[in-house]
Amino acid sequence: MSNPFFKNNGPIKFSKIIKTLGLNIKLDKDREIYDIKDLVASSNDDITFFHSNKYRDFAKKTKASFCLTTDSLKSELPESCLALIVENVLVSTSIITSIFYPDSINDNFDETAILINDTHFKDKVNFGKNVLIGKNVSIGNNCKIGHNT
């Protein structure tokens, strides 16, 4: 499934990924990686990440060829998945995600957005705290909007 929000710039050479992370790995550096995905959705051509023991069952079954993880979690990965040991898995995941999806780091904030309390929706919609509504927004019946939206 393609990302509906951002364009994937993959495939990315493995050499670029390990250089970006500052890793020294002797492997086929010309190998191409097509995407970064979660443990379940990843395939043979993808890189994934594993940062918490609570995802151990998913890690054991991942199809990814590469996984950003810690030294203490690497033993939970299948033999077909090379553990890329990093200091902070989530920071490294963010860095690699920005290579595949460079547009994802741009926050093109809608300058027309105002608090929902200042709109005609305030009495028609069930909403949480810190909700912003842009100029061209329409909201359907029985809609609920969560916090920080």
Side-chain angles (χ1 to χ4, degrees):
M1 182 172 115
S2 66
N3 186 308
F5 300 106
F6 304 108
K7 179 185 179 299
N8 181 341
N9 279 7
I12 307 293
K13 291 207 182 284
F14 183 63
S15 58
K16 180 174 183 173
I17 290 173
I18 60 172
K19 181 179 180 182
T20 301
L21 294 173
L23 301 176
N24 186 15
I25 296 175
K26 308 272 189 262
L27 197 67
D28 179 6
K29 294 181 173 142
D30 286 334
R31 169 120 187 235
E32 293 183 323
I33 301 173
Y34 285 79
D35 206 349
I36 183 164
K37 293 183 181 173
D38 64 73
L39 289 162
V40 175
S42 58
S43 70
N44 180 355
D45 293 323
D46 299 324
I47 187 170
T48 190
F49 57 97
F50 176 36
H51 71 288
S52 171
N53 214 16
K54 69 181 179 179
Y55 302 110
R56 177 184 33 207
D57 291 339
F58 296 119
K60 289 178 186 279
K61 298 176 186 172
T62 190
K63 303 291 187 227
S65 291
F66 306 98
C67 183
L68 302 168
T69 194
T70 62
D71 195 47
S72 62
L73 293 174
K74 70 181 181 185
S75 63
E76 302 295 339
L77 294 168
E79 287 186 24
S80 60
C81 184
L82 176 66
L84 303 177
I85 308 303
V86 294
E87 188 173 320
N88 186 313
V89 175
L90 296 180
V91 169
S92 297
T93 299
S94 175
I95 290 167
I96 299 307
T97 299
S98 71
I99 294 172
F100 282 99
Y101 299 95
D103 294 338
S104 69
I105 60 174
N106 297 329
D107 187 5
N108 298 325
F109 183 75
D110 181 356
E111 299 290 336
T112 69
I114 58 175
L115 286 172
I116 194 169
N117 295 336
D118 299 332
T119 71
H120 67 279
F121 294 116
K122 70 180 177 197
D123 297 323
K124 301 176 183 178
V125 177
N126 185 358
F127 59 91
K129 296 176 184 171
N130 195 30
V131 174
L132 299 175
I133 301 292
K135 184 169 101 176
N136 296 318
V137 170
S138 62
I139 300 176
N141 295 333
N142 301 317
C143 184
K144 294 180 182 179
I145 303 174
H147 301 296
N148 303 316
T149 304

